[in-house]
Amino acid sequence: MILVGIEDADTQEDADWLCKKIVNLRVFDDENGVMNKSILDIDGNILVISQFTLHASYKKGNRPSYIHAAKPDVAIPLYEYFCQALSEAMGKKIGTGEFGADMKVELLNNGPVTICMDTKNKE
Protein backbone atom coordinates (compact mmCIF):
# COMPACT_ATOMS: atom_id res chain seq x y z
CA MET A 1 0.00 0.00 0.00
CA ILE A 2 1.28 3.41 -0.95
CA LEU A 3 -0.13 6.49 0.73
CA VAL A 4 0.74 9.43 -1.50
CA GLY A 5 0.48 13.09 -0.58
CA ILE A 6 0.85 15.70 -3.31
CA GLU A 7 1.93 19.27 -2.64
CA ASP A 8 1.78 22.33 -4.88
CA ALA A 9 5.48 22.12 -5.74
CA ASP A 10 5.29 18.51 -6.98
CA THR A 11 5.76 17.81 -10.69
CA GLN A 12 5.55 14.93 -13.14
CA GLU A 13 9.33 14.59 -12.76
CA ASP A 14 8.79 13.99 -9.03
CA ALA A 15 6.15 11.36 -9.82
CA ASP A 16 8.50 9.65 -12.30
CA TRP A 17 11.34 9.57 -9.75
CA LEU A 18 9.05 8.20 -7.05
CA CYS A 19 7.63 5.57 -9.37
CA LYS A 20 11.08 4.34 -10.39
CA LYS A 21 12.24 4.29 -6.77
CA ILE A 22 9.17 2.36 -5.60
CA VAL A 23 9.29 -0.44 -8.16
CA ASN A 24 13.02 -0.99 -7.71
CA LEU A 25 13.32 -0.63 -3.93
CA ARG A 26 14.52 -3.91 -2.44
CA VAL A 27 12.30 -4.33 0.61
CA PHE A 28 11.13 -7.94 0.20
CA ASP A 29 12.99 -10.95 1.54
CA ASP A 30 14.92 -13.29 -0.70
CA GLU A 31 15.35 -17.01 0.01
CA ASN A 32 17.88 -16.15 2.74
CA GLY A 33 15.58 -13.77 4.59
CA VAL A 34 17.50 -10.72 3.37
CA MET A 35 15.58 -7.73 2.00
CA ASN A 36 16.96 -8.11 -1.49
CA LYS A 37 13.90 -8.24 -3.77
CA SER A 38 11.74 -5.53 -5.30
CA ILE A 39 8.00 -5.53 -5.89
CA LEU A 40 8.82 -6.40 -9.50
CA ASP A 41 10.94 -9.38 -8.42
CA ILE A 42 8.11 -10.89 -6.38
CA ASP A 43 5.38 -9.98 -8.90
CA GLY A 44 3.61 -8.09 -6.14
CA ASN A 45 0.60 -5.82 -6.30
CA ILE A 46 0.23 -2.18 -5.34
CA LEU A 47 -2.64 -0.16 -3.93
CA VAL A 48 -2.22 3.63 -4.13
CA ILE A 49 -4.27 5.85 -1.81
CA SER A 50 -4.26 9.63 -2.05
CA GLN A 51 -3.62 11.05 1.43
CA PHE A 52 -3.35 14.85 1.64
CA THR A 53 -3.01 14.67 5.44
CA LEU A 54 0.58 13.47 4.96
CA HIS A 55 1.35 17.17 4.44
CA ALA A 56 -0.04 18.21 7.82
CA SER A 57 1.89 20.98 9.49
CA TYR A 58 1.65 20.67 13.25
CA LYS A 59 4.36 23.09 14.38
CA LYS A 60 2.05 25.94 15.31
CA GLY A 61 -0.89 25.30 17.60
CA ASN A 62 -2.79 22.06 17.98
CA ARG A 63 -4.87 22.05 14.80
CA PRO A 64 -3.00 20.66 11.80
CA SER A 65 -2.69 22.88 8.77
CA TYR A 66 -2.74 21.45 5.26
CA ILE A 67 -1.48 24.57 3.52
CA HIS A 68 1.25 22.61 1.71
CA ALA A 69 -1.13 20.01 0.28
CA ALA A 70 -2.01 20.61 -3.36
CA LYS A 71 -5.55 21.65 -4.23
CA PRO A 72 -7.59 19.13 -6.26
CA ASP A 73 -7.01 20.93 -9.58
CA VAL A 74 -3.27 20.25 -9.18
CA ALA A 75 -3.37 17.05 -7.14
CA ILE A 76 -5.87 14.99 -9.16
CA PRO A 77 -4.03 15.11 -12.50
CA LEU A 78 -0.70 14.40 -10.81
CA TYR A 79 -2.20 11.54 -8.76
CA GLU A 80 -3.65 10.03 -11.95
CA TYR A 81 -0.34 10.50 -13.77
CA PHE A 82 1.53 8.78 -10.91
CA CYS A 83 -0.90 5.86 -10.85
CA GLN A 84 -0.65 5.41 -14.62
CA ALA A 85 3.16 5.57 -14.54
CA LEU A 86 3.25 3.04 -11.70
CA SER A 87 0.90 0.72 -13.59
CA GLU A 88 3.13 0.92 -16.66
CA ALA A 89 6.27 0.29 -14.60
CA MET A 90 4.62 -2.73 -12.95
CA GLY A 91 3.35 -4.06 -16.27
CA LYS A 92 -0.11 -4.54 -14.82
CA LYS A 93 -3.05 -2.71 -13.36
CA ILE A 94 -2.61 -1.32 -9.87
CA GLY A 95 -5.31 -0.68 -7.31
CA THR A 96 -6.30 2.86 -6.49
CA GLY A 97 -8.48 4.61 -4.02
CA GLU A 98 -11.02 7.24 -4.93
CA PHE A 99 -9.44 10.67 -4.80
CA GLY A 100 -10.99 12.85 -2.11
CA ALA A 101 -13.34 10.15 -0.85
CA ASP A 102 -13.83 9.24 2.79
CA MET A 103 -12.58 5.68 2.49
CA LYS A 104 -12.16 2.96 5.05
CA VAL A 105 -8.85 1.26 4.31
CA GLU A 106 -7.25 -1.49 6.35
CA LEU A 107 -3.55 -2.30 6.32
CA LEU A 108 -2.05 -5.43 7.74
CA ASN A 109 1.63 -4.58 7.91
CA ASN A 110 3.43 -7.90 7.59
CA GLY A 111 6.91 -6.96 8.66
CA PRO A 112 8.90 -4.10 9.98
CA VAL A 113 9.07 -2.00 6.80
CA THR A 114 7.34 1.36 6.51
CA ILE A 115 9.27 3.92 4.49
CA CYS A 116 8.59 7.64 4.09
CA MET A 117 9.80 9.05 0.78
CA ASP A 118 9.94 12.74 -0.06
CA THR A 119 10.80 13.76 -3.60
CA LYS A 120 12.30 16.93 -2.18
CA ASN A 121 14.96 14.78 -0.47
CA LYS A 122 16.22 12.77 -3.44
CA GLU A 123 19.88 13.08 -2.59
Side-chain angles (χ1 to χ4, degrees):
M1 178 184 295
I2 298 170
L3 300 176
V4 61
I6 298 170
E7 67 177 30
D8 286 327
D10 288 332
T11 65
Q12 286 186 350
E13 290 78 22
D14 291 319
D16 290 338
W17 177 88
L18 190 58
C19 179
K20 183 177 178 183
K21 184 60 79 171
I22 288 168
V23 299
N24 291 298
L25 201 64
R26 298 183 314 183
V27 293
F28 297 96
D29 287 348
D30 63 14
E31 55 282 347
N32 298 313
V34 177
M35 288 195 308
N36 204 26
K37 291 190 173 193
S38 72
I39 190 94
L40 292 174
D41 295 329
I42 66 162
D43 192 31
N45 294 302
I46 291 178
L47 172 64
V48 178
I49 305 294
S50 173
Q51 188 70 28
F52 77 93
T53 59
L54 292 171
H55 289 290
S57 175
Y58 48 84
K59 292 181 181 180
K60 184 177 177 184
N62 292 317
R63 180 176 304 191
S65 168
Y66 303 103
I67 195 165
H68 298 294
K71 304 295 183 267
D73 62 320
V74 171
I76 292 172
L78 194 50
Y79 170 76
E80 290 173 350
Y81 176 86
F82 173 70
C83 290
Q84 181 62 37
L86 200 51
S87 180
E88 290 173 9
M90 291 288 294
K92 60 182 168 181
K93 187 173 173 67
I94 62 163
T96 61
E98 183 179 336
F99 190 95
D102 182 11
M103 297 176 294
K104 308 292 186 260
V105 180
E106 286 188 38
L107 166 65
L108 174 61
N109 193 355
N110 183 12
V113 181
T114 301
I115 298 173
C116 296
M117 293 183 189
D118 186 344
T119 59
K120 303 306 181 248
N121 296 320
K122 294 176 191 164
E123 300 181 29

